[in-house]
Amino acid sequence: MKHIWKGISFIFTITLMACSSNEDSDIISTIDPDPIVEKPVATLDFVNAEFVAETPSTDLNTCFVHNDKMYATAGDETYVFDFSQKAWSLLTTDADTPKTTFDIGFNFIREGKWYRLIRKGLYVFDFELNDWEVIKSFPLSDSVYSILGYYVESDDAVYLVDKINRREIIYKYDLLTNEFIAHSTFENNAGWYPISENAFIINDTKYVVHLSNWNKMKVSKFNEDFTVFESINELETENYLDESVACQFGENIIFGLGGVPTSDADGNITRDPSTLNFYFYNTITDDFGTMSTPFYESCRDAHLVTYNNEYYLVGGRTITNNKSEPRITIEKLQFEVVEQ
């Protein structure tokens, strides 16, 4: 009898163990071996503006960084800014200096010289002689009105489009013959200005930013051989973006500020549609974002240059005491990636 009870006890123990094992198995099976952890969303923020120096003129036509220095023109004068010394020097006063009023144009280095292409013509600056030369003058009735494109050294050419005139031609400007050539066509559905002299190459894609209305920023791109120019995305903002600025930050394009005010006969501001924010376009996600920190004052018609992975806002105009006044400062802007 004693042996029978031992057998029954052994069977009961084995049964309990089996049941416990099954229960544990059920519990384990309900636990996700690879739980999904939501990663913080990375965004950009504008966090600071630090005064660097004053500008040599209240009306700079262009600013261009080359070899650790920033070059600028104002009327007939050409200046250079030394970042390490935080000081300007006058290089030359030359009647051939490319002068612009409201057209953008752009700058590039070719054979060790500074080239500037605007709607009035092609100009070149010799750094050794401190001298401007007019390479080609364009009759305004025959030339393009706005210059939006890229210099390609291997082709000895500049590829560009003219959004303002609603022309549907991608031009090739041959730097050997100094002639415009119709390279291809594109759909031009907006006669608005480009925003920045900067053009952006991100992951081998050639981006440009330009307006499609007073308060609409459009991002477009060229294909590899400049035969296609297409729109990618567009952002509509609350206030105006004309005369704004743009720069590249990693895989993002930052843009913002701008907005031309309306004034009466005495120069008093009657309407101010200024944009105080910076925005960004993420080229990876194809999304726009708004900087959470607004710019501290109205600003338009400034220049935004990049040097040593730092960003400098130069000149422009602001609204002071209900008047439109020139800004005579260089400020280093700080943007950073934040996680939400």
Side-chain angles (χ1 to χ4, degrees), residues 170-272:
I170 299 175
Y171 293 97
K172 176 181 178 180
Y173 181 79
D174 191 316
L175 292 165
L176 299 179
T177 64
N178 289 309
E179 298 295 335
F180 275 110
I181 302 169
H183 183 63
S184 186
T185 60
F186 75 105
E187 182 180 351
N188 188 357
N189 54 10
W192 293 83
Y193 286 95
I195 283 302
S196 172
E197 294 182 350
N198 301 312
F200 312 104
I201 301 178
I202 305 175
N203 296 327
D204 296 326
T205 301
K206 302 173 180 65
Y207 294 93
V208 292
V209 290
H210 52 102
L211 295 181
S212 63
N213 209 322
W214 294 109
N215 63 333
K216 291 183 180 180
M217 181 69 76
K218 180 175 287 189
V219 180
S220 301
K221 67 178 181 179
F222 286 95
N223 70 338
E224 184 176 354
D225 62 359
F226 298 95
T227 56
V228 176
F229 181 73
E230 62 177 337
S231 299
I232 305 172
N233 208 337
E234 185 179 68
L235 176 70
E236 181 175 353
T237 61
E238 181 178 356
N239 291 318
Y240 287 1
L241 286 163
D242 50 315
E243 296 191 357
S244 57
V245 294
C247 66
Q248 179 181 338
F249 184 91
E251 295 173 330
N252 301 276
I253 298 173
I254 293 175
F255 60 91
L257 309 184
V260 178
T262 303
S263 58
D264 59 20
D266 297 322
N268 297 306
I269 304 299
T270 58
R271 181 169 178 263
D272 175 21

Side-chain angles (χ1 to χ4, degrees), residues 36 134 230 279 295 298 300 305 333 339:
I36 298 175
V134 182
E230 62 177 337
Y279 306 88
F295 198 68
S298 166
R300 73 182 196 278
V305 300
L333 307 183
E339 294 183 346

Side-chain angles (χ1 to χ4, degrees), residues 42-74:
T43 186
L44 298 183
D45 197 7
F46 165 61
V47 296
N48 190 40
E50 174 188 344
F51 174 80
V52 176
E54 292 188 351
T55 59
S57 171
T58 59
D59 189 19
L60 299 179
N61 297 133
T62 186
C63 293
F64 178 59
V65 175
H66 174 60
N67 281 354
D68 298 327
K69 295 181 179 180
M70 177 168 62
Y71 296 85
T73 62

Side-chain angles (χ1 to χ4, degrees), residues 103-118:
D103 51 318
I104 297 293
F106 70 96
N107 307 288
F108 57 94
I109 296 295
R110 173 176 167 81
E111 299 176 345
K113 297 181 180 181
W114 171 19
Y115 283 76
R116 177 149 176 79
L117 181 63
I118 60 177

Side-chain angles (χ1 to χ4, degrees), residues 10-28:
F10 175 76
I11 295 171
F12 181 69
T13 301
I14 294 300
T15 304
L16 287 176
M17 291 175 61
C19 291
S20 176
S21 177
N22 289 336
E23 291 175 358
D24 291 343
S25 177
D26 291 340
I27 293 173
I28 293 174

